[in-house]
Amino acid sequence: MFEYEFPRPAVAADIAAFALDNGKLKILLVRRGVEPFLGEWALPGGFVLEDETIEACAARELREETGVDGESLIQFGIYSEPGRDPRKWIISIAYVTAVHLAQVVLKSGTDAAAAEWFSVDQLPAVLAFDHHDIIKDAIEALRNNALLLERQRRDVPVLAFRLLGETFSLSALQAAVEVIVGNERDKRNFRKQVVEHWLEPTGTVSTGRHRPALNYRLRPKDPGLHE
Amino acid sequence: MFEYEFPRPAVAADIAAFALDNGKLKILLVRRGVEPFLGEWALPGGFVLEDETIEACAARELREETGVDGESLIQFGIYSEPGRDPRKWIISIAYVTAVHLAQVVLKSGTDAAAAEWFSVDQLPAVLAFDHHDIIKDAIEALRNNALLLERQRRDVPVLAFRLLGETFSLSALQAAVEVIVGNERDKRNFRKQVVEHWLEPTGTVSTGRHRPALNYRLRPKDPGLHE
DNA sequence: CCAAAAGTGTTTAACGTACACCCATGT
DNA sequence: ACATGGGTGTACGTTAAACACTTTTGG
C-alpha cells in the first residue's frame, strides 16, 4: 500500500458569535457575496489557510467581520455531512464565542457583502448550507459554556462575561445569564455565588435611572485551586 | 471577490481507542505501513472519503482495525498546526472511545502493518506526527467522559461501561473507573450511586475465586428525567 | 412621595463523603 | 479454617435552593 492522492475537502471555520442587544440575544450573520447561496445569510467564516490552525482561522475571520479579537473561541461541532454544500466538498469546523456589542465594528469580510445581528428567535427563514443546524447547536454550546454556576468547571472560558464590557453591574450579569439559559434565577443566590467565585468590585458605580449599582469585573484567576 | 480554488488539506480521523487489559489501561496503536513515519507507531486513523462524515470515517477505521463497531465515538480535538505533518498538509480530527478487549479482533488496516495495545504509561518513545500530544489529550477526554459520578450529565455516552462486557460485577466497574481516573473511591458510595443511576441487576452471578458477585448491566435509559 | 432597581441573611433540603463489619466462596 | 473479595447503613458536613424586606436614586 503506497501513498496516493486522495480527493481533499475544503475546510472552513464557521463562527457563531453572540452578543446582547437591549436584552435580546443576537447572533452575527453575513450575507454571502459568493456562490453558492449568494445573497443568503450565513454564519461568518472562511476557508482555512495552509499556514494557520483552524482556530486561528476562526479568530481571523471573526476579526475581519467584527474587529473583535477572537479570544475564547470554543469549538463545538464539525459538519461534514456529504452534500451539505451543493457543489463542493466542504467540511466546517464550528466555533462559538460571545462579544460585547459596544466594541464591535461590523465590517464586510472578504466573502461577505454585509453583516448584521439577528435575534436568535427571529432568524432569516433561509440560511446558507446547514447553518440552521449549526446555529441550533451553537446556542446549546453557548448555554453549556456561558452558564457559569451550577456545577461548572472553573477552567473553561466563560462566555457570559464576554457579552458584557470590562465592568458591569450584578444585575446586568444576571440578565445576561438569564437571557442565555432562558430561565430566571434567584437574585441573592446568584450574587452570592458569582461574587464569591468570579468577581471583584471595581469601586465604581454604574448610575442608571435608579439606585446606582456597584460595578464588578472578572477576577483574574483564583490563585491555585484544584491542582 | 470571487471564488477561486484554495489549496486543500487532507483531513483525517484519528481514534484513541482504550481498553482494559488485566487492570491496565491500554491504547491501541498501529505501526505505520506508509510514509511518512513508516514503521513508527501511530494512532489508528485514516483519511476522510467524500461520501462519509468524519465520524463515520472514524467508525470505519476503528472497525477495520479492531472489528469493533465504532459507537460512542467522542470528538475531543482538532489538530491543524501547520507543519504537523512534515510533507503534506493534514488536519486530524481526533476521537476517543473505549472497547471491551474480549470482543476485539485486531486486524491490520489499509495503512497499518500491525496493531497493538500499549499501556498508557508505557507508550513507545517515538510516535508519528503529534500523536503524543493527541494521546495526552485523549486520556483527559477519556477521564472527562468515562467518569460517571461527580456531577456528570446523564446524556453523554459513558465510556467506562464500554471497557467492560455486556454484564459485569460492581467491583469490575469500580476497578475500571479507578484505573481511568487514577484515584480510589469508596466502595459503598460508589455502589449506591452507580446502581441508583445507571444499572440494573441481571440476576446472574459472576463466579470468581471467592464469593460470587451479582452481575449488572447498563440500564437502557432513565425514562424522562430532566426535560 | 412614588416607581424602580439595588442590596442584603437565614433556614431547609439535597447531596456527597467518611467510615467498619459480616458474608460467601475456593483452597 | 482462613484468605479473599462481595456485600451492606448511618451520621456528618457542604452545597444548593427557597424565601421578603429595606435602601437609594430619578422623576
Side-chain angles (χ1 to χ4, degrees):
Chain A
M1 201 84 352
F2 56 93
E3 195 167 350
Y4 56 91
E5 272 310 304
F6 288 85
R8 297 172 167 214
V11 175
D14 288 322
I15 302 106
F18 291 95
L20 213 49
D21 182 8
N22 245 315
K24 302 293 283 182
L25 184 65
K26 304 219 165 173
I27 186 169
L28 183 66
L29 298 179
V30 298
R31 202 184 272 284
R32 284 181 60 83
V34 295
E35 289 288 356
F37 294 102
L38 196 159
E40 305 293 350
W41 292 101
L43 290 170
F47 292 110
V48 178
L49 306 179
E50 195 159 355
D51 64 350
E52 66 184 0
T53 64
I54 301 180
E55 180 163 347
C57 170
R60 175 176 56 74
E61 297 284 346
L62 180 64
R63 200 177 320 112
E64 285 174 9
E65 304 285 352
T66 65
V68 170
D69 263 356
E71 315 141 5
S72 297
L73 284 161
I74 300 173
Q75 190 254 313
F76 68 90
I78 297 179
Y79 299 85
S80 59
E81 202 69 41
R84 58 183 292 277
D85 184 299
R87 37 171 83 182
K88 295 205 301 179
W89 181 18
I90 298 187
I91 291 172
S92 275
I93 318 292
Y95 291 85
V96 63
T97 192
V99 300
H100 184 210
L101 199 60
Q103 55 201 179
V104 171
V105 185
L106 290 188
K107 312 165 192 177
S108 295
T110 37
D111 298 329
E116 208 167 295
W117 292 100
F118 285 82
S119 272
V120 293
D121 47 14
Q122 284 172 277
L123 296 175
V126 40
L127 290 175
F129 309 104
D130 48 5
H131 286 194
H132 251 302
D133 299 327
I134 301 183
I135 291 174
K136 212 169 109 269
D137 297 345
I139 292 172
E140 196 187 320
L142 176 69
R143 287 209 174 129
N144 291 338
N145 289 289
L147 183 33
L148 20 151
L149 314 173
E150 289 167 349
R151 348 197 120 179
Q152 172 83 11
R153 295 197 310 285
R154 300 287 309 289
D155 50 333
V156 293
V158 179
L159 293 185
F161 297 113
R162 294 184 50 85
L163 289 172
L164 307 168
E166 186 67 20
T167 74
F168 44 82
S169 70
L170 291 181
S171 330
L173 179 60
Q174 184 173 353
V177 170
E178 286 176 350
V179 166
I180 294 170
V181 302
N183 51 35
E184 302 200 339
R185 50 186 67 209
D186 182 84
K187 184 162 61 156
R188 280 174 288 191
N189 293 337
F190 180 85
R191 285 164 183 241
K192 236 178 299 172
Q193 299 169 67
V194 87
V195 170
E196 152 136 24
H197 293 306
W198 278 280
L199 301 184
E200 60 187 12
T202 63
T204 65
V205 293
S206 74
T207 168
R209 270 179 302 287
H210 302 288
R211 172 172 176 177
L214 289 177
N215 283 333
Y216 291 81
R217 74 166 70 84
L218 189 51
R219 192 173 339 124
K221 202 73 171 228
D222 242 341
L225 288 182
H226 337 79
E227 70 177 337
Chain B
M1 202 86 347
F2 57 93
E3 195 168 350
Y4 57 91
E5 272 312 306
F6 288 85
R8 297 171 168 215
V11 175
D14 288 323
I15 302 106
F18 292 95
L20 213 49
D21 181 9
N22 245 315
K24 303 292 283 180
L25 184 64
K26 304 220 166 173
I27 186 170
L28 182 67
L29 298 180
V30 299
R31 202 182 273 282
R32 285 181 60 82
V34 296
E35 290 287 357
F37 294 102
L38 196 159
E40 304 294 351
W41 293 100
L43 290 170
F47 293 109
V48 179
L49 307 180
E50 195 160 355
D51 64 351
E52 66 183 0
T53 63
I54 301 181
E55 180 163 347
C57 170
R60 175 176 55 77
E61 297 285 347
L62 180 64
R63 199 176 322 114
E64 286 173 11
E65 304 286 353
T66 65
V68 171
D69 263 356
E71 314 141 5
S72 297
L73 284 161
I74 299 174
Q75 191 256 313
F76 69 89
I78 297 179
Y79 300 85
S80 59
E81 202 69 41
R84 57 184 291 277
D85 183 299
R87 38 170 82 183
K88 296 204 302 180
W89 181 18
I90 298 188
I91 291 172
S92 275
I93 317 293
Y95 291 85
V96 63
T97 193
V99 300
H100 184 210
L101 199 60
Q103 56 200 179
V104 171
V105 184
L106 289 188
K107 313 166 190 178
S108 296
T110 38
D111 298 329
E116 210 167 292
W117 293 100
F118 284 82
S119 272
V120 293
D121 46 14
Q122 284 173 278
L123 295 175
V126 40
L127 290 176
F129 309 105
D130 48 4
H131 286 194
H132 250 303
D133 299 326
I134 301 183
I135 291 173
K136 212 169 109 268
D137 297 344
I139 292 172
E140 196 187 321
L142 177 68
R143 288 207 173 130
N144 292 338
N145 289 291
L147 179 34
L148 19 152
L149 313 173
E150 288 166 351
R151 345 196 122 180
Q152 171 84 11
R153 297 198 309 285
R154 300 288 308 291
D155 50 333
V156 295
V158 178
L159 292 185
F161 297 113
R162 294 182 51 85
L163 290 172
L164 307 169
E166 186 68 20
T167 73
F168 42 82
S169 70
L170 291 180
S171 330
L173 179 61
Q174 183 172 354
V177 171
E178 285 176 350
V179 166
I180 295 171
V181 303
N183 52 36
E184 301 199 340
R185 50 187 66 211
D186 183 85
K187 185 164 58 157
R188 280 175 288 192
N189 294 336
F190 180 85
R191 286 165 181 240
K192 235 179 302 172
Q193 299 168 66
V194 88
V195 170
E196 153 137 21
H197 292 307
W198 277 280
L199 301 184
E200 59 186 14
T202 63
T204 67
V205 293
S206 73
T207 168
R209 271 179 302 287
H210 302 288
R211 173 174 176 177
L214 289 177
N215 283 334
Y216 290 81
R217 73 167 69 85
L218 188 50
R219 194 177 333 129
K221 203 73 171 227
D222 242 341
L225 288 182
H226 337 79
E227 77 175 337

